[in-house]
Coordinates of all heavy atoms in Angstrom, one line a residue:
M206 N 0.8 -1.2 0.0 CA 0.0 0.0 0.0 C 0.9 1.2 0.0 O 1.8 1.4 0.8 CB -0.9 0.0 1.2 CG -1.9 1.1 1.3 SD -3.1 1.0 2.7 CE -4.2 -0.2 2.0
T207 N 0.6 2.2 -0.9 CA 1.4 3.4 -1.0 C 0.9 4.5 0.0 O -0.2 4.3 0.6 CB 1.3 4.0 -2.4 OG1 -0.1 4.5 -2.6 CG2 1.6 3.0 -3.5
T208 N 1.7 5.5 0.2 CA 1.4 6.6 1.0 C 0.1 7.2 0.6 O -0.8 7.6 1.4 CB 2.5 7.7 1.0 OG1 3.7 7.1 1.5 CG2 2.1 8.8 1.9
A209 N -0.1 7.4 -0.7 CA -1.3 7.9 -1.3 C -2.6 7.1 -0.9 O -3.6 7.6 -0.6 CB -1.2 8.1 -2.8
D210 N -2.4 5.7 -1.0 CA -3.5 4.8 -0.6 C -3.9 5.0 0.8 O -5.1 5.1 1.1 CB -3.1 3.4 -0.9 CG -2.9 3.0 -2.3 OD1 -3.5 3.7 -3.2 OD2 -2.2 2.1 -2.6
I211 N -2.9 5.1 1.7 CA -3.2 5.2 3.1 C -3.9 6.6 3.4 O -4.9 6.6 4.1 CB -1.9 5.2 3.9 CG1 -1.3 3.7 3.8 CG2 -2.1 5.6 5.4 CD1 0.1 3.6 4.3
Q212 N -3.4 7.6 2.8 CA -4.0 8.9 3.0 C -5.4 9.0 2.4 O -6.3 9.6 2.9 CB -3.1 10.0 2.3 CG -1.9 10.2 3.2 CD -0.9 11.2 2.5 OE1 -1.0 11.5 1.3 NE2 -0.1 11.8 3.3
H213 N -5.6 8.3 1.3 CA -6.9 8.2 0.6 C -7.9 7.6 1.6 O -9.0 8.0 1.8 CB -6.9 7.4 -0.7 CG -8.2 7.3 -1.4 ND1 -8.6 8.4 -2.1 CD2 -9.1 6.4 -1.5 CE1 -9.8 8.1 -2.7 NE2 -10.1 6.8 -2.3
E214 N -7.5 6.5 2.3 CA -8.4 5.8 3.3 C -8.6 6.7 4.5 O -9.7 6.8 5.0 CB -7.7 4.5 3.7 CG -7.8 3.4 2.7 CD -7.1 2.2 3.1 OE1 -6.8 2.0 4.3 OE2 -7.0 1.3 2.3
E215 N -7.6 7.4 4.9 CA -7.7 8.3 6.1 C -8.7 9.5 5.8 O -9.3 10.0 6.7 CB -6.4 8.8 6.5 CG -5.5 7.8 7.1 CD -4.1 8.3 7.4 OE1 -3.7 9.4 7.0 OE2 -3.3 7.5 8.0
T216 N -8.8 9.9 4.6 CA -9.7 11.1 4.3 C -11.0 10.6 3.9 O -11.8 11.4 3.4 CB -9.0 11.9 3.2 OG1 -8.9 11.1 2.0 CG2 -7.7 12.5 3.6
G217 N -11.3 9.4 4.1 CA -12.7 8.9 3.7 C -12.9 8.8 2.2 O -14.0 8.8 1.8
G218 N -11.8 8.8 1.4 CA -12.0 8.8 0.0 C -12.2 10.1 -0.7 O -12.5 10.1 -1.9
K219 N -12.2 11.2 0.0 CA -12.4 12.5 -0.6 C -11.2 12.8 -1.5 O -10.1 13.0 -1.1 CB -12.6 13.6 0.4 CG -13.8 13.4 1.2 CD -14.0 14.6 2.2 CE -15.2 14.3 3.1 NZ -15.3 15.4 4.2
T220 N -11.5 12.9 -2.8 CA -10.5 13.3 -3.8 C -10.8 14.5 -4.6 O -12.0 14.8 -4.7 CB -10.2 12.1 -4.8 OG1 -11.4 11.8 -5.5 CG2 -9.7 10.9 -4.0
V221 N -9.8 15.1 -5.1 CA -10.0 16.3 -6.0 C -9.1 16.1 -7.2 O -8.2 15.3 -7.2 CB -9.7 17.6 -5.3 CG1 -10.6 17.9 -4.2 CG2 -8.3 17.7 -4.8
T222 N -9.5 16.8 -8.3 CA -8.6 16.7 -9.5 C -7.8 18.0 -9.6 O -8.4 19.1 -9.6 CB -9.5 16.5 -10.8 OG1 -10.2 15.3 -10.6 CG2 -8.6 16.4 -12.0
V223 N -6.5 17.8 -9.6 CA -5.6 19.0 -9.8 C -4.8 18.8 -11.1 O -4.8 17.7 -11.7 CB -4.6 19.0 -8.6 CG1 -5.3 19.2 -7.3 CG2 -3.7 17.8 -8.5
M224 N -4.1 19.9 -11.5 CA -3.3 19.8 -12.7 C -1.8 19.7 -12.3 O -1.4 20.6 -11.5 CB -3.5 21.0 -13.6 CG -5.0 21.2 -14.0 SD -5.5 19.8 -15.1 CE -4.6 20.1 -16.6
V225 N -1.1 18.8 -12.8 CA 0.3 18.6 -12.5 C 1.0 18.6 -13.9 O 0.7 17.7 -14.7 CB 0.7 17.4 -11.7 CG1 2.2 17.3 -11.5 CG2 -0.1 17.3 -10.4
D226 N 1.8 19.6 -14.1 CA 2.5 19.7 -15.4 C 1.5 19.7 -16.6 O 1.8 19.1 -17.6 CB 3.6 18.6 -15.6 CG 4.7 18.8 -14.6 OD1 4.9 19.9 -14.1 OD2 5.4 17.8 -14.4
G227 N 0.3 20.3 -16.4 CA -0.7 20.4 -17.4 C -1.5 19.2 -17.6 O -2.4 19.1 -18.5
E228 N -1.4 18.2 -16.7 CA -2.2 16.9 -16.8 C -3.1 16.8 -15.6 O -2.6 17.1 -14.5 CB -1.2 15.7 -16.9 CG -0.4 15.7 -18.2 CD -1.2 15.5 -19.4 OE1 -2.2 14.8 -19.4 OE2 -0.8 16.1 -20.4
P229 N -4.3 16.4 -15.8 CA -5.2 16.2 -14.6 C -4.8 15.0 -13.8 O -4.4 13.9 -14.4 CB -6.6 16.0 -15.3 CG -6.3 15.5 -16.6 CD -5.0 16.1 -17.0
V230 N -4.8 15.1 -12.5 CA -4.4 14.0 -11.6 C -5.4 14.0 -10.4 O -5.6 15.1 -9.8 CB -3.0 14.2 -11.0 CG1 -2.6 13.1 -10.1 CG2 -2.0 14.3 -12.2
E231 N -6.0 12.9 -10.1 CA -6.9 12.7 -9.0 C -6.1 12.4 -7.8 O -5.3 11.4 -7.7 CB -7.9 11.7 -9.3 CG -9.0 11.6 -8.3 CD -10.2 10.7 -8.6 OE1 -10.6 10.8 -9.8 OE2 -10.6 9.9 -7.8
V232 N -6.2 13.2 -6.7 CA -5.5 13.1 -5.5 C -6.4 13.2 -4.3 O -7.4 13.9 -4.4 CB -4.3 14.1 -5.4 CG1 -3.3 14.0 -6.6 CG2 -4.8 15.5 -5.4
P233 N -6.0 12.7 -3.1 CA -6.7 12.9 -1.9 C -6.7 14.4 -1.5 O -5.7 15.1 -1.8 CB -6.0 12.1 -0.9 CG -5.2 11.1 -1.6 CD -4.8 11.8 -2.9
K234 N -7.8 14.9 -1.0 CA -7.8 16.3 -0.6 C -6.7 16.6 0.5 O -6.2 17.7 0.4 CB -9.2 16.6 0.0 CG -9.4 18.1 0.3 CD -10.9 18.4 0.4 CE -11.1 19.9 0.7 NZ -10.6 20.8 -0.4
H235 N -6.5 15.7 1.4 CA -5.4 15.9 2.3 C -4.3 14.9 2.0 O -4.5 13.7 2.0 CB -5.9 15.6 3.8 CG -7.0 16.6 4.1 ND1 -6.8 17.9 4.4 CD2 -8.3 16.4 4.2 CE1 -8.0 18.4 4.7 NE2 -8.9 17.5 4.5
T236 N -3.1 15.4 1.6 CA -2.1 14.6 1.0 C -0.7 15.2 1.3 O -0.6 16.1 2.2 CB -2.3 14.4 -0.5 OG1 -1.4 13.5 -1.0 CG2 -2.2 15.8 -1.2
T237 N 0.3 14.7 0.6 CA 1.6 15.3 0.7 C 2.1 15.7 -0.7 O 1.6 15.1 -1.7 CB 2.6 14.3 1.3 OG1 2.8 13.2 0.4 CG2 2.2 13.9 2.7
P238 N 3.1 16.6 -0.8 CA 3.6 16.9 -2.1 C 4.2 15.7 -2.8 O 4.0 15.5 -4.0 CB 4.7 17.9 -1.8 CG 4.2 18.6 -0.6 CD 3.6 17.5 0.2
D239 N 4.9 14.8 -2.1 CA 5.4 13.6 -2.7 C 4.3 12.7 -3.2 O 4.5 12.0 -4.3 CB 6.3 12.8 -1.7 CG 7.7 13.5 -1.5 OD1 8.0 14.4 -2.2 OD2 8.5 13.0 -0.7
A240 N 3.2 12.6 -2.5 CA 2.1 11.7 -2.9 C 1.5 12.3 -4.2 O 1.2 11.5 -5.1 CB 1.0 11.6 -1.9
V241 N 1.4 13.6 -4.3 CA 0.9 14.2 -5.6 C 1.8 13.9 -6.7 O 1.3 13.5 -7.8 CB 0.7 15.7 -5.4 CG1 0.4 16.4 -6.7 CG2 -0.3 16.1 -4.3
L242 N 3.1 14.0 -6.5 CA 4.0 13.7 -7.6 C 3.9 12.2 -8.0 O 3.9 11.9 -9.2 CB 5.5 14.0 -7.1 CG 5.9 15.4 -7.1 CD1 7.2 15.6 -6.4 CD2 5.9 16.1 -8.5
G243 N 3.9 11.3 -7.0 CA 3.8 9.9 -7.2 C 2.5 9.6 -8.0 O 2.6 8.8 -9.0
L244 N 1.4 10.1 -7.7 CA 0.1 9.9 -8.4 C 0.2 10.4 -9.8 O -0.5 9.9 -10.7 CB -1.0 10.5 -7.7 CG -1.4 9.8 -6.4 CD1 -2.4 10.6 -5.5 CD2 -2.0 8.4 -6.7
A245 N 1.0 11.4 -10.1 CA 1.2 12.0 -11.4 C 2.3 11.2 -12.2 O 2.5 11.5 -13.3 CB 1.7 13.4 -11.3
G246 N 2.8 10.1 -11.6 CA 3.8 9.3 -12.2 C 5.2 10.0 -12.3 O 6.0 9.7 -13.2
I247 N 5.5 10.8 -11.4 CA 6.8 11.6 -11.4 C 7.6 11.1 -10.2 O 7.1 10.9 -9.1 CB 6.5 13.1 -11.3 CG1 5.7 13.6 -12.5 CG2 7.8 13.9 -11.1 CD1 5.1 14.9 -12.3
D248 N 8.9 10.8 -10.5 CA 9.8 10.3 -9.5 C 10.1 11.3 -8.4 O 10.7 12.4 -8.7 CB 11.1 9.8 -10.2 CG 12.1 9.1 -9.3 OD1 11.8 9.0 -8.0 OD2 13.1 8.7 -9.8
V249 N 9.7 11.0 -7.2 CA 10.0 12.0 -6.1 C 11.4 12.1 -5.7 O 11.8 13.0 -5.0 CB 9.1 11.6 -4.8 CG1 7.6 11.7 -5.2 CG2 9.5 10.3 -4.2
A250 N 12.2 11.1 -6.1 CA 13.7 11.1 -5.8 C 14.4 12.2 -6.6 O 15.5 12.6 -6.2 CB 14.3 9.7 -6.0
T251 N 13.8 12.6 -7.7 CA 14.5 13.5 -8.6 C 13.7 14.8 -8.9 O 14.1 15.6 -9.8 CB 14.8 12.8 -10.0 OG1 13.6 12.4 -10.6 CG2 15.8 11.7 -9.8
H252 N 12.5 14.9 -8.2 CA 11.7 16.1 -8.5 C 11.0 16.6 -7.2 O 10.9 15.8 -6.2 CB 10.5 15.7 -9.4 CG 11.0 15.5 -10.8 ND1 11.5 14.3 -11.2 CD2 10.9 16.2 -11.9 CE1 11.8 14.3 -12.5 NE2 11.5 15.5 -12.9
Y253 N 10.6 17.9 -7.2 CA 9.8 18.4 -6.1 C 8.7 19.1 -6.7 O 8.6 19.5 -7.9 CB 10.6 19.2 -5.1 CG 11.3 20.5 -5.7 CD1 10.6 21.7 -5.7 CD2 12.5 20.5 -6.2 CE1 11.1 22.9 -6.2 CE2 13.1 21.6 -6.7 CZ 12.4 22.8 -6.7 OH 13.0 23.9 -7.3
L254 N 7.7 19.4 -5.8 CA 6.4 20.0 -6.3 C 6.4 21.5 -6.0 O 6.9 21.9 -5.0 CB 5.2 19.3 -5.6 CG 3.8 19.6 -6.1 CD1 3.7 18.9 -7.5 CD2 2.8 19.0 -5.2
V255 N 5.8 22.2 -6.9 CA 5.6 23.7 -6.8 C 4.1 24.0 -7.0 O 3.6 23.6 -8.1 CB 6.5 24.5 -7.7 CG1 6.1 26.0 -7.6 CG2 7.9 24.2 -7.4
R256 N 3.4 24.7 -6.1 CA 2.0 25.1 -6.3 C 2.0 26.5 -6.9 O 2.7 27.4 -6.5 CB 1.3 25.2 -4.9 CG -0.1 25.7 -5.0 CD -0.7 25.8 -3.6 NE -1.2 24.6 -3.2 CZ -1.4 24.2 -1.9 NH1 -0.9 24.9 -0.9 NH2 -1.9 23.0 -1.6
I257 N 1.2 26.6 -8.0 CA 1.1 27.8 -8.7 C -0.2 28.5 -8.4 O -1.3 27.9 -8.5 CB 1.1 27.6 -10.3 CG1 2.4 26.8 -10.7 CG2 1.1 29.0 -11.0 CD1 3.7 27.5 -10.4
T258 N -0.2 29.7 -7.8 CA -1.4 30.5 -7.5 C -1.2 31.8 -8.1 O -0.5 32.7 -7.6 CB -1.5 30.6 -5.9 OG1 -1.4 29.3 -5.3 CG2 -2.8 31.2 -5.5
G259 N -2.0 32.0 -9.2 CA -1.8 33.3 -9.9 C -0.4 33.4 -10.5 O 0.1 32.6 -11.2
R260 N 0.3 34.5 -10.0 CA 1.7 34.7 -10.4 C 2.7 34.2 -9.4 O 3.9 34.4 -9.5 CB 1.9 36.2 -10.7 CG 1.2 36.6 -11.9 CD 1.5 38.1 -12.2 NE 0.8 38.5 -13.4 CZ 1.2 39.5 -14.2 NH1 2.3 40.1 -13.9 NH2 0.5 39.8 -15.3
Q261 N 2.1 33.7 -8.3 CA 3.0 33.3 -7.2 C 3.3 31.8 -7.2 O 2.4 31.0 -7.7 CB 2.3 33.6 -5.8 CG 2.1 35.1 -5.7 CD 2.0 35.5 -4.2 OE1 1.9 34.6 -3.4 NE2 2.1 36.8 -4.0
Q262 N 4.5 31.4 -6.8 CA 4.9 30.0 -6.7 C 5.2 29.6 -5.3 O 5.9 30.4 -4.6 CB 6.1 29.8 -7.6 CG 5.8 30.0 -9.1 CD 7.0 29.8 -9.9 OE1 8.0 29.3 -9.5 NE2 6.9 30.1 -11.2
H263 N 4.7 28.5 -4.8 CA 5.0 28.1 -3.5 C 5.7 26.7 -3.6 O 5.1 25.7 -4.0 CB 3.6 27.9 -2.7 CG 3.8 27.4 -1.3 ND1 4.2 28.3 -0.3 CD2 3.7 26.2 -0.8 CE1 4.3 27.6 0.8 NE2 4.0 26.3 0.6
T264 N 7.0 26.7 -3.3 CA 7.7 25.5 -3.4 C 7.7 24.5 -2.2 O 7.6 25.0 -1.1 CB 9.2 25.8 -3.7 OG1 9.9 24.6 -3.9 CG2 9.9 26.6 -2.6
F265 N 7.7 23.2 -2.5 CA 7.7 22.2 -1.5 C 9.1 21.5 -1.5 O 9.2 20.4 -1.0 CB 6.6 21.2 -1.7 CG 5.2 21.9 -1.4 CD1 4.4 22.2 -2.5 CD2 4.8 22.2 -0.2 CE1 3.2 22.8 -2.3 CE2 3.5 22.8 0.0 CZ 2.7 23.1 -1.0
A266 N 10.1 22.2 -2.0 CA 11.4 21.6 -2.1 C 11.9 21.3 -0.6 O 11.8 22.1 0.2 CB 12.4 22.5 -2.7
G267 N 12.3 20.0 -0.4 CA 12.7 19.6 0.9 C 11.6 19.4 1.9 O 11.9 19.1 3.1
R268 N 10.4 19.5 1.5 CA 9.2 19.3 2.3 C 8.2 18.4 1.7 O 7.0 18.6 1.9 CB 8.6 20.7 2.6 CG 9.5 21.6 3.3 CD 8.9 23.0 3.5 NE 8.0 23.3 2.4 CZ 7.2 24.4 2.4 NH1 7.1 25.1 3.5 NH2 6.5 24.7 1.4
G269 N 8.7 17.3 1.1 CA 7.8 16.4 0.4 C 6.9 15.6 1.2 O 5.8 15.1 0.8
Q270 N 7.2 15.5 2.5 CA 6.3 14.7 3.4 C 5.4 15.6 4.3 O 4.6 15.1 5.1 CB 7.2 13.8 4.3 CG 7.9 12.7 3.6 CD 6.9 11.8 2.8 OE1 5.9 11.3 3.4 NE2 7.1 11.5 1.6
E271 N 5.4 16.9 4.0 CA 4.6 17.8 4.8 C 3.1 17.7 4.3 O 2.8 17.6 3.1 CB 5.1 19.2 4.5 CG 4.3 20.3 5.1 CD 4.9 21.7 4.7 OE1 6.0 21.9 5.0 OE2 4.1 22.5 4.1
E272 N 2.2 17.6 5.3 CA 0.8 17.4 4.9 C 0.3 18.7 4.3 O 0.5 19.8 4.9 CB -0.1 17.0 6.1 CG -1.5 16.8 5.7 CD -2.4 16.1 6.7 OE1 -1.9 15.3 7.5 OE2 -3.6 16.4 6.8
I273 N -0.4 18.6 3.2 CA -1.0 19.8 2.6 C -2.5 19.5 2.2 O -2.9 18.3 2.1 CB -0.3 20.2 1.3 CG1 -0.3 19.1 0.3 CG2 1.1 20.7 1.6 CD1 0.3 19.5 -1.1
T274 N -3.3 20.5 2.1 CA -4.7 20.4 1.6 C -4.7 20.9 0.2 O -4.2 22.0 -0.1 CB -5.6 21.1 2.5 OG1 -5.5 20.6 3.8 CG2 -7.1 21.0 2.0
V275 N -5.2 20.1 -0.7 CA -5.3 20.6 -2.1 C -6.8 20.8 -2.5 O -7.7 20.3 -1.8 CB -4.7 19.6 -3.1 CG1 -3.2 19.4 -2.9 CG2 -5.3 18.2 -3.0
H276 N -7.0 21.7 -3.5 CA -8.3 22.1 -3.8 C -8.6 21.8 -5.3 O -7.6 21.7 -6.1 CB -8.5 23.6 -3.6 CG -8.3 23.9 -2.1 ND1 -9.1 23.7 -1.1 CD2 -7.2 24.5 -1.6 CE1 -8.6 24.1 0.0 NE2 -7.4 24.6 -0.2
E277 N -9.8 21.5 -5.6 CA -10.2 21.2 -7.0 C -9.6 22.2 -8.0 O -9.7 23.4 -7.7 CB -11.7 21.2 -7.1 CG -12.3 20.7 -8.4 CD -12.1 19.2 -8.6 OE1 -12.1 18.4 -7.6 OE2 -12.0 18.7 -9.7
R278 N -9.0 21.7 -9.1 CA -8.5 22.5 -10.1 C -7.2 23.4 -9.8 O -6.9 24.3 -10.5 CB -9.5 23.4 -10.8 CG -10.5 22.6 -11.6 CD -11.6 23.4 -12.2 NE -12.8 23.2 -11.4 CZ -13.8 24.0 -11.3 NH1 -13.8 25.1 -12.0 NH2 -14.9 23.7 -10.6
E279 N -6.6 23.1 -8.7 CA -5.3 23.8 -8.4 C -4.3 23.3 -9.4 O -4.3 22.3 -9.9 CB -4.8 23.4 -7.0 CG -5.3 24.3 -5.9 CD -4.6 24.2 -4.6 OE1 -4.6 23.1 -4.0 OE2 -4.0 25.2 -4.2
T280 N -3.3 24.2 -9.6 CA -2.2 24.0 -10.5 C -0.9 23.8 -9.8 O -0.5 24.5 -9.0 CB -2.1 25.1 -11.5 OG1 -3.4 25.3 -12.2 CG2 -1.0 24.9 -12.6
F281 N -0.2 22.7 -10.3 CA 1.1 22.4 -9.7 C 2.1 22.1 -10.9 O 1.6 21.7 -12.0 CB 1.1 21.1 -8.8 CG 0.2 21.3 -7.6 CD1 -1.1 21.0 -7.6 CD2 0.8 21.7 -6.4 CE1 -1.9 21.2 -6.5 CE2 0.0 21.9 -5.3 CZ -1.3 21.6 -5.3
V282 N 3.4 22.3 -10.7 CA 4.4 21.9 -11.6 C 5.4 21.1 -10.9 O 5.6 21.3 -9.7 CB 5.0 23.0 -12.4 CG1 4.0 23.7 -13.3 CG2 5.7 24.0 -11.4
S283 N 6.1 20.2 -11.6 CA 7.2 19.4 -11.0 C 8.5 20.1 -11.4 O 8.6 20.6 -12.5 CB 7.2 18.0 -11.4 OG 7.4 17.9 -12.8
V284 N 9.5 20.1 -10.5 CA 10.8 20.7 -10.9 C 11.8 19.6 -10.6 O 11.9 19.0 -9.6 CB 11.0 21.9 -10.0 CG1 12.4 22.5 -10.3 CG2 10.0 23.0 -10.2
S285 N 12.7 19.4 -11.6 CA 13.7 18.4 -11.5 C 14.9 18.9 -10.6 O 15.2 20.1 -10.7 CB 14.3 18.1 -12.9 OG 15.4 17.2 -12.8
T286 N 15.4 18.0 -9.8 CA 16.5 18.4 -9.0 C 17.9 18.0 -9.6 O 18.9 18.2 -9.0 CB 16.4 17.7 -7.6 OG1 16.4 16.3 -7.8 CG2 15.2 18.2 -6.8
G287 N 17.8 17.4 -10.8 CA 19.0 17.0 -11.5 C 19.7 18.1 -12.2 O 19.2 19.3 -12.2
P288 N 20.8 17.9 -12.8 CA 21.6 18.9 -13.5 C 20.8 19.5 -14.7 O 20.0 18.7 -15.3 CB 22.8 18.2 -14.0 CG 22.5 16.7 -14.0 CD 21.4 16.6 -12.9
T289 N 21.0 20.7 -15.0 CA 20.3 21.4 -16.1 C 21.2 21.3 -17.3 O 22.4 21.7 -17.3 CB 20.0 22.9 -15.8 OG1 19.3 22.9 -14.6 CG2 19.3 23.5 -16.9
P290 N 20.7 20.6 -18.4 CA 21.6 20.5 -19.6 C 21.8 21.9 -20.2 O 21.0 22.7 -20.2 CB 20.8 19.6 -20.5 CG 19.4 19.6 -20.0 CD 19.4 20.0 -18.6
T291 N 23.0 22.0 -20.8 CA 23.4 23.3 -21.5 C 23.7 22.9 -22.9 O 24.3 21.8 -23.2 CB 24.5 24.0 -20.8 OG1 25.7 23.1 -20.7 CG2 24.2 24.5 -19.4
A292 N 23.5 23.9 -23.8 CA 23.8 23.6 -25.2 C 25.2 24.0 -25.6 O 25.8 24.8 -25.0 CB 22.8 24.4 -26.1

């Protein structure tokens, strides 16, 4: 059982659909940034989550296990922690 499965059970199955990197992802309303990434199919070992609110960005770098509440249609992006390729 994954962290997301456990949290899904703890919240009584309440889920919302959020956007992660432009793709819809169904997640528990009460979750963690790492669980959101995992449900989006993104490797938490090499990425962290950023919440986009208007023009503001709220990073969860280094806080992947922090409990957060997500809302229907919220927007998130994943950010790679790996090296940035240069041309």
Side-chain angles (χ1 to χ4, degrees):
M206 185 175 279
T207 68
T208 302
D210 291 334
I211 293 167
Q212 289 175 338
H213 183 77
E214 288 179 8
E215 290 173 354
T216 59
K219 293 181 184 175
T220 60
V221 296
T222 301
V223 299
M224 299 299 287
V225 180
D226 294 341
E228 297 294 323
V230 180
E231 189 171 312
V232 300
K234 186 161 181 61
H235 301 285
T236 188
T237 65
D239 282 355
V241 173
L242 287 171
L244 289 167
I247 299 166
D248 185 358
V249 299
T251 59
H252 292 78
Y253 62 90
L254 193 68
V255 175
R256 176 184 273 153
I257 307 297
T258 308
R260 292 182 178 206
Q261 300 204 347
Q262 298 181 7
H263 180 81
T264 181
F265 294 102
R268 301 179 320 172
Q270 292 300 312
E271 179 180 298
E272 184 169 325
I273 61 172
T274 300
V275 296
H276 304 282
E277 190 71 29
R278 289 179 254 156
E279 268 194 301
T280 302
F281 296 88
V282 294
S283 64
V284 177
S285 174
T286 57
T289 304
T291 58

